[in-house]
Every structure is written in C-alpha cells, then in structure tokens.
Amino acid sequence: MMSSYLKRRTARLVFLHIRRRYIATTGLYGLNHLKEAKGFQSFVDEAIQRSGELVNYIATMPSSVEIIRTMDEISDTVCAVIDSAELCRHTHPDREFIEEATKASMRINEYLHILNTSHTLYDAVKRAEKDSHLLSKEARRAACHLRIDFEKGGIHLSPEKLDRVNQLSIDIFQLCRKFNENISVDPGHVDIFPASLIPRNLHYLIKPVHRSITENSRQSSGLWNNMKEKGFRITTEPHTLFAVLQWTPSDEAIDLFSFLCEVRKLAYLKGNSAPLANLEVVDELIAARHELSQIMGCRSYSDFVVKQNMASSPQVVMSFLQDMSNIVRPKAFEEFEKIRDFKRVKCSQSSVDLEPWDEAYYAAKMKSTLYNLDSLTVQSYFPLRQCIEGLKVMVKSLFGATFCSVPLAAGESWHPDVLKMCIHHPEEGDLGYIYLDLHSRKGKYPGCANFTIKGGRRISETEYRLPVVALVCNFSRSRGSSVNLSHHEVETLFHEFGHALHSLLSRTEYQHFSGTRVALDFAETPSNLFQ
C-alpha cells in the first residue's frame, strides 16, 4: 500500500505536471497575468501604466463623483498586485513564484509612495470633499479617508520633510518584511536527547536528529557499536510551541516529569527570543517609526498610527485596557492561584512558583484531573471535514446562504490541497468566492489568516465585482487519515472564517471599504462574533 507521504508526493508531481501542461488556461487565482512566475513583472507594469492613465484623467478635473470613483479604481489596481503578491509569498511552494511576488510587492509599494505624494490627486480629493453635497454618504466618507491618507503620507509638508517621510515609509515597510522573513527562516529550535524522552503522540510535530556520543555515554547507554544517538528537534514556531507547552509525560516518573518541565522552559525561551537577528531590526524599526511620528507632528508613533481608528488616541486605548484589566484581573488572579496550587501539589513543593512555560501544561493537566477532560477525546469530535460542514450549516442558518464547491481551472491553484467554494444566496445570487488552503506544509505561512485577493466594488449601475478571498490555515495532516482539530484550532478556524465572511457578505460601492478594509480596531469584531 502506498504510504501517505508517497501519495502526497505523487499528487504534487501530478499537480505540477498538469499545471505546466495546461498553463495557458488561466493564471494563479484566475488572474491571466500570473500564468507563470515572471507574470508578476507585467502585472506590476500594467498596474503602473493603468494608474498613470487614471491620474491623467483626474488631472482634467472631472466631476467630484468621478474623482472618487477613479481614485477607488487606482486603489483597486494597486491593491490587486499587493494582495495577490502577499498571498503568493506566504503560500506558494514554488520558490520562483515567491521571489517574483516579493519583487512585485517591493516595486508596487515604491510606486504607491509616488501616488501618495501626488498633488494632482490630493488637490482633486480636497475639491471633491468640498463638494460633499454632491456625493453619496459612502463617497463623502471615501473622500475624507483619502484626504487623511494623503496627509498621513506627509503631502502637506515641505519638500525636504516629504522626501524624508517617503524614505522612512519605505524603510519601515522593508524592516517589517525583514522581521517576518527572519522568523520564517529561523523560528528557533531545541534538540532533545534521547528520543525516548519525547511522548510518541507528538512525534508528528518534530523531526529526528542524530549526534555523536562520547565513550562514557556509550558505556552508560550500552550503545557500543553505534556512534550516533537519536533525538528530536523541536522547531519553536507558534503551532509546534503551543503543543510543546502542553506536553504530558506518558510516565509520571519524577525524572521524566522534571525533564519535560525543562524542555518546556527551553522551548518557551527559544520560541520567544528567536531569531536574534530581529533585535537589530526592532531597534531600527522603533527609531524609524519615532522619527516619522516626530516629523508628522505627533508625540509618538502610537499617536500617529491610531488617528483613523475608532479609539482615536493612545489615551482612549489605555483607558479601555485599564477598564478591562480592572474587570478581569480578580478572576485571572483567582485562576492563577488555582493553577499554581495544583502545580505545588503535583510537584510536592509548597513554595514553587508558576512559571510562564508552566501555565499551558498545568492548566490542561488540571482540567484533565479535576474535570476528567481529555483533550484527545475532545479532538475526536472535531474532524476538519465536519468542521467545514458545520461552518456551512451556520452560514445557511444565519444568512440564508450556501457554499458549493467550484472546480479549479488549470493554473488557478497553487497546491493540490487547495479547494474553491462559491457562496450563493437564493435571492441575491452569487456573493463571492473563497479558496481553502488548510493543511500545513514546509515553507508555508505558519499561522492562520484570511487573505483578500479581490475586494468587492461596484463597476457600473448593473455590475458588481464579487469579492475573492483565501482562508489559509496550518492544520497538521500527520495525525492520520482524518485530521481532527483541537478546541483551540476550531476557535481559530471559526475566527478566520469570520474574517472571510466579513469580506464575502459586505456590499460597498468602493473597494476602499470592502470587507475587512475598515478601522483596524473594528476589523476583529465580526471575526470574534463568529468565533
């Protein structure tokens, strides 16, 4: 019987063969530019050319309504490149696609700074905002937001200060990208020897490593002929680290118990400190953000960045956080004491403290001991396939809409695991499309996220461009033929699906406000409600 690894490997080779053979059918995400990796270059070229044409049109001073509509088309043209490049960079298995997407993202973001410093566009937006009585409510809001965006880019400053703001903005963008790239390249790891110390049910998360052993070690372990000792490498990326911090030893022997406590400590410290290269990146990022905020006349970067949010100042944010802290602190402290006391009983030490790397383990252990709650039993109730079906049932119950599978055209997908669905309403018709990329694999974005590919927007009086999104998760497929989710993973799935629904169900005239393109401190509300 073919192993699951060989099946996946064969499927991927077949997928790549089909994609190459029928590459002319369509491009990645259904975009004709992206039939090959080099297509990102022409994608950027055409986006810049089209945006230039639209800027020239605005220079002719059309009506205020036309100014806002055209500005939204410029934004849509640029976002089409940025959004597709970001999804490609985080999920595509082909290194050439990733590299071309990265270059495209850098080029279009540099061009975006040119647009953001265009006085032709800024003056037109200000004129449209003054004619607010001629605009719809959404168009008035768009005009206001566009003006503020220009001013956050420093367009109202002197030429010297504006040049500096542009350079700082580019530096900040590149530093943020470098920070994320460093985490992807070096998430940190801890090597554990011997392999027998790691619970068998966690072997799927880690990979074997070997080391040479000394003469004394060979004598004590009885390994006379074998010069290598097997161990396991724990990569301390978030998904693996979360599982490691809840490790339960299969044997309650004190030595193993103490050893796994030390493993959790090592993994926690490494996972929260690696990569060391980011220390310098963070220092540079803080300095660049502070200088930017000072030039823009703000006391701090937090003052600068929260202006357009519902909580419009750091003081409002801190007041909210303090109010929340006052509400939850007594209960949190009560729970902390319960977990700490439980640890003291398990360790037979009356004065031991609860360390940060202890919390997840002892919380899970306490639930299991006091409430007979077995996390593996809970997982058995949440097969991934059934969770997806449950999401469909909820969407139909809440919104009267249904999801149906859509066949993928050759060249449209980036991996054989990817599925595509359409959301349909019996009265309103098709509402949008969603790609599902749910399984973990090497080189893929390590967390779970909703990516916008196309925002919804009105094209004409009779035509609406439907939104397209991608739901990306990292559920391990190594647990057997049926992938079962932990309760935490189910919550994450529902949360990210809430973001996807926000994009798919929203109906806006302008893509500038489509789906999750809202105030940052509101963007999490729909997803948390669905979770």
Side-chain angles (χ1 to χ4, degrees), residues 44-57 69-70 73-74 77 111:
V44 176
D45 291 340
E46 289 192 22
I48 292 175
Q49 179 182 343
R50 177 57 181 160
S51 296
E53 293 169 355
L54 294 170
V55 170
N56 291 336
Y57 173 65
R69 186 200 63 77
T70 307
E73 186 176 346
I74 292 174
T77 301
Y111 178 68

Side-chain angles (χ1 to χ4, degrees), residues 1 6 14 59 79-82 93 132 169 240 325 347 351 398 427 465 531:
M1 180 178 291
L6 288 176
V14 171
C79 284
V81 178
I82 293 173
S132 60
S169 297
T240 303
S325 177
C347 296
S351 61
L398 291 170
E427 296 176 2
R465 205 264 307 279
Q531 176 184 329

Side-chain angles (χ1 to χ4, degrees), residues 22 30 41 60 72 80 84 105 123 127 193-194 234 254 303 363 431 453 457 488 528:
Y22 299 104
Q41 298 177 14
T60 66
D72 191 67
S84 59
S105 181
D123 293 340
R127 184 169 76 82
F193 294 92
I234 304 168
I254 294 298
D303 276 291
L431 302 179
I453 299 174
R457 65 186 290 257
H488 171 74
N528 276 287

Side-chain angles (χ1 to χ4, degrees), residues 86-104:
E86 284 305 292
L87 177 59
C88 182
R89 287 179 54 249
H90 287 94
T91 62
H92 208 289
D94 190 325
R95 191 68 208 171
E96 185 183 4
F97 265 93
I98 294 173
E99 290 173 354
E100 290 298 329
T102 300
K103 288 189 282 188

Side-chain angles (χ1 to χ4, degrees), residues 3-249:
S3 70
S4 59
Y5 168 77
L6 288 176
K7 286 179 181 177
R8 293 196 300 273
R9 177 67 177 164
T10 302
R12 184 173 184 275
L13 290 174
V14 171
F15 170 77
L16 291 174
H17 171 73
I18 292 174
R19 190 178 70 188
R20 288 166 183 151
R21 183 178 175 186
Y22 299 104
I23 197 166
T25 304
T26 188
L28 199 60
Y29 323 129
L31 301 172
N32 286 329
H33 291 92
L34 304 183
K35 292 177 181 178
E36 58 181 355
K38 296 291 184 184
F40 270 108
Q41 298 177 14
S42 60
F43 199 9
V44 176
D45 291 340
E46 289 192 22
I48 292 175
Q49 179 182 343
R50 177 57 181 160
S51 296
E53 293 169 355
L54 294 170
V55 170
N56 291 336
Y57 173 65
I58 288 178
T60 66
M61 282 298 173
S63 69
S64 295
V65 172
E66 276 296 295
I67 288 172
I68 301 305
R69 186 200 63 77
T70 307
M71 285 295 300
D72 191 67
E73 186 176 346
I74 292 174
S75 176
D76 185 60
T77 301
V78 172
C79 284
V81 178
I82 293 173
D83 293 338
S84 59
E86 284 305 292
L87 177 59
C88 182
R89 287 179 54 249
H90 287 94
T91 62
H92 208 289
D94 190 325
R95 191 68 208 171
E96 185 183 4
F97 265 93
I98 294 173
E99 290 173 354
E100 290 298 329
T102 300
K103 288 189 282 188
S105 181
M106 294 297 296
R107 278 187 64 203
I108 202 68
N109 272 284
E110 289 173 2
Y111 178 68
L112 190 58
H113 289 298
I114 296 175
L115 292 176
N116 287 340
T117 55
S118 167
H119 281 276
T120 297
L121 299 181
Y122 178 54
D123 293 340
V125 167
K126 286 196 297 181
R127 184 169 76 82
E129 189 177 18
K130 288 180 180 178
D131 293 338
S132 60
H133 61 286
L134 302 176
L135 303 175
S136 67
K137 183 178 180 180
E138 187 175 337
R140 289 197 298 272
R141 186 162 166 259
C144 177
H145 277 247
L146 288 166
R147 175 183 57 77
I148 292 173
D149 285 343
F150 274 114
E151 290 170 358
K152 284 186 74 173
I155 196 167
H156 57 295
L157 300 173
S158 66
E160 295 78 13
K161 288 185 176 181
L162 180 56
D163 286 343
R164 184 56 184 159
V165 166
N166 285 337
Q167 186 57 55
L168 286 168
S169 297
I170 292 172
D171 291 346
I172 289 169
F173 174 78
Q174 293 176 338
L175 286 167
C176 289
R177 171 157 292 175
K178 183 65 175 175
F179 183 90
N180 291 325
E181 286 176 353
N182 285 344
I183 293 174
S184 177
V185 172
D186 178 24
H189 68 267
V190 176
D191 291 342
I192 305 300
F193 294 92
S196 59
L197 291 170
I198 303 301
R200 191 173 292 274
N201 66 320
L202 292 166
H203 285 189
Y204 74 93
L205 280 172
I206 50 188
K207 65 178 183 180
V209 291
H210 296 82
R211 69 175 180 185
S212 300
I213 55 177
T214 64
E215 180 71 23
N216 290 337
S217 297
R218 291 203 306 276
Q219 292 178 8
S220 61
S221 62
L223 299 174
W224 294 96
N225 298 319
N226 190 351
M227 300 294 289
K228 297 288 185 180
E229 180 183 23
K230 181 181 178 181
F232 279 109
R233 171 163 294 178
I234 304 168
T235 302
T236 52
E237 51 81 26
H239 178 69
T240 303
L241 183 60
F242 182 79
V244 168
L245 295 177
Q246 297 186 80
W247 274 0
T248 302

